Amino acid sequence: MKTVLIVGHPDLSSSRINAALLEEARSINDVHTRVLSELYRTDSIDIQAEQEAIAGADHILLQYPTYWYAMPSILKGWLDEVLTRGWAYGTGTPGALAGKTLRIVTTTGGAFEGYGPDGLHGWEYDAMLVPLKATARRLGMAWQEPLVIHGVRELDDAGVRQLRSSFHELLMDVREEHRPLEKLRRFESVNS
C-alpha cells in the first residue's frame, strides 16, 4: 500500500506543528511526501509529475494549516491544476483517483470549543470540510475521517511529541488498511 502525503503549508520554516508532522511522515518507508512549497517555490506546478505521484498511491492525505476556514492558496492551486477533467474525472464519471482514499490532516490555532454553533466561529469544523468531501465523492474516492488538530499554539513540547507519535501510528494504520482514530481522538480531547 502506497501513501502519498501532500503538504500544503506555504512556509514550513514558520511552522512548529506541520513541520513536526512532516518530519514524522518522512521517517516512515512507503509514505511519500510532496511538499508543495519546496517543489514549487516560484515555478508553476508540474501537473504530470503530481498526477503520476498520486495515481500510484492507494491513500492520499492532504496536510495543511487552516487559514480563514480553508486551505492555503498553494494547496488550493494544486487541486485546481492537478485534478483536471479527463484525468481526475469525466462527464459524470470518476477518473484516475477512483477507489483511492482521501484524508485531511489540518491544524487550527483556535481551541476545539470555538468550533460549534455557540463557539467563536459559529460552525462545527466539519462544515468547513464539505468542499473536500464533495471532491472525494466526485472523484470516486473513499473519504476517511479527518484529523483536525485544534489549539496548536497551546501545545507544549510533550504535546508535540505525543502528536508525532499518534500521527506515526495513524500513518502506519493507513498503510495496513485499518484506520482507527481512537488514540488521536483522545489526544484531541485532552489538548483541546
Side-chain angles (χ1 to χ4, degrees), residues 16-137:
R16 192 168 137 247
I17 305 305
N18 279 275
L21 294 175
L22 173 60
E23 185 177 347
E24 196 59 42
R26 283 180 166 164
S27 75
I28 302 172
N29 290 335
D30 299 327
V31 174
H32 303 272
T33 59
R34 301 199 56 83
V35 181
L36 301 180
S37 62
E38 292 174 1
L39 292 169
Y40 306 109
R41 292 185 191 275
T42 58
D43 301 323
S44 60
I45 292 173
D46 183 341
I47 295 168
Q48 183 176 355
E50 296 303 313
Q51 288 177 342
E52 287 173 5
I54 59 177
D58 300 292
H59 308 288
I60 300 168
L61 290 85
L62 303 179
Q63 177 190 326
Y64 60 90
T66 298
Y67 286 178
W68 288 110
Y69 312 108
M71 67 183 68
S73 62
I74 191 170
L75 185 56
K76 177 61 168 98
W78 182 90
L79 289 171
D80 291 345
E81 291 189 43
V82 174
L83 304 182
T84 58
R85 184 170 191 258
W87 182 80
Y89 66 96
T91 303
T93 61
L97 303 180
K100 300 177 186 308
T101 66
L102 178 64
R103 183 184 309 265
I104 304 306
V105 177
T106 189
T107 56
T108 73
F112 174 81
E113 295 79 20
Y115 292 91
D118 298 324
L120 174 66
H121 307 289
W123 299 93
E124 302 271 338
Y125 191 88
D126 196 54
M128 292 162 224
L129 294 174
V130 170
L132 288 167
K133 288 180 182 182
T135 298
R137 179 184 171 115

Side-chain angles (χ1 to χ4, degrees), residues 159-177:
V160 173
R161 284 190 301 275
Q162 181 185 1
L163 176 60
R164 283 180 66 137
S165 176
S166 295
F167 188 56
H168 187 98
E169 289 179 35
L170 171 74
L171 291 171
M172 296 301 290
D173 287 341
V174 166
R175 288 179 43 210
E176 295 167 12
E177 284 207 81

